[in-house]
Amino acid sequence: MTPPTPSPEPSPERARLAAALRELKARTGLSLAGLAEQTPFSKSSWDRYLKGRTLPPRQAVQELCRLADEPDGRCLALWEIAESEWSGRVTAAPSPAPASEEVSSTRNKSVAAAAVLASVCAVAVGGVAVALYLLPGQHAEPRSSTPPSPTATGPRCRGAACEAKSPMHMKCSVGPATLASHRTATGAWIELRYSEKCGASWARMWDTRVGDRLEVTVAGRGGRGAGIRGAEVEDEIDAESYVYTPMTATRPGTMVRVCLRPAADGERECFNARVN
């Protein structure tokens, strides 16, 4: 599989986040080298984050808010929107595309919600809101009196229908529970996530290296290799972002096993967690 390449222009979600982060950086008075010295992230990484070329880890947003003496709640909300857009490209089995009218309606609602959060975050970091509202093409159409359809607003699958599909594309990643987390010997973090509404679980990893592989299996499901849902860090962009496995159907009481197979020399690390 050919590794994905970053787009020449950041998405609107990443552009808004990057604008807010640049305001925070200006407040700190630090150079890129200064940010690198006071955070776990390199100078080149900060350059990409601040230009919107790649999505920063959640920790990077928190670190910059700390250095700027800014509460991180509002900017983390903006980060969540950008993270959902960014992670949607990682999927093993994309669902059928909805009708063109639904795509347009969903896009308009997403842009409207993102613009509101962007303005709140921008006001907090010093006046970016004006620039955001003046960006072309960011105005949503007036709300219709017709209530949105379940397909447009809620999860698009449940249980077995979610098997091997992307939690992002199926809208299962909204408000999931984190059942367990673990830091590996290589420094990578892995988490098991669960959506009660979708009846499915998946795992995600970050602070990884190219070639690291994450796998999720459900206890007692089939023979060896059956039902394994995996994802691999394919390039440096993946290594600096979250990487998600496809989903596997689960229900309360199910025991799930999550394993990281490091690319470098090292043993596979696993943990088990039960769906509540």
Side-chain angles (χ1 to χ4, degrees), residues 231-269:
E232 187 169 321
V233 179
E234 297 183 348
D235 53 31
E236 292 296 335
I237 298 175
D238 283 350
E240 294 180 357
S241 308
Y242 286 111
V243 173
Y244 298 77
T245 70
M247 293 185 287
T248 186
T250 53
R251 57 186 178 182
T254 303
M255 183 66 74
V256 183
R257 185 172 181 81
V258 180
C259 295
L260 178 72
R261 298 176 181 270
D265 293 337
E267 296 183 356
R268 183 179 70 162
E269 293 191 46

Side-chain angles (χ1 to χ4, degrees), residues 126-212:
V128 180
V130 174
L132 295 178
Y133 277 113
L134 293 178
L135 286 175
Q138 302 305 313
H139 302 289
E141 296 178 359
R143 293 180 58 185
S144 170
S145 59
T146 304
S149 65
T151 302
T153 59
R156 300 173 61 189
C157 67
R158 180 167 178 79
C162 294
E163 195 70 47
K165 294 180 180 178
S166 164
M168 302 301 164
H169 287 187
M170 293 293 101
K171 301 184 180 179
C172 297
S173 61
V174 178
T178 298
L179 301 182
S181 61
H182 173 71
R183 188 171 189 179
T184 69
T186 62
W189 282 92
I190 53 179
E191 280 185 345
L192 176 63
R193 311 274 271 177
Y194 169 69
S195 169
E196 182 178 1
K197 292 182 179 179
C198 292
S201 298
W202 64 94
R204 67 178 183 176
M205 57 181 168
W206 69 97
D207 287 348
T208 51
R209 302 174 183 177
V210 176
D212 285 354

Side-chain angles (χ1 to χ4, degrees), residues 58-174:
R58 181 186 181 94
Q59 183 186 358
V61 177
Q62 292 174 310
E63 290 284 343
L64 189 52
C65 287
R66 175 183 62 81
L67 292 172
D69 195 24
E70 172 71 25
D72 61 16
R74 294 183 180 91
C75 285
L76 285 180
L78 186 59
W79 176 87
E80 289 284 352
I81 293 177
E83 191 265 347
S84 294
E85 178 273 330
W86 177 268
S87 302
R89 68 189 181 87
V90 181
T91 176
S95 60
S100 58
E101 291 183 0
E102 181 184 340
V103 171
S104 176
S105 174
T106 304
R107 177 60 180 168
N108 287 335
K109 291 181 176 66
S110 175
V111 167
V116 170
L117 278 175
S119 65
V120 172
C121 185
V123 167
V125 297
V128 180
V130 174
L132 295 178
Y133 277 113
L134 293 178
L135 286 175
Q138 302 305 313
H139 302 289
E141 296 178 359
R143 293 180 58 185
S144 170
S145 59
T146 304
S149 65
T151 302
T153 59
R156 300 173 61 189
C157 67
R158 180 167 178 79
C162 294
E163 195 70 47
K165 294 180 180 178
S166 164
M168 302 301 164
H169 287 187
M170 293 293 101
K171 301 184 180 179
C172 297
S173 61
V174 178

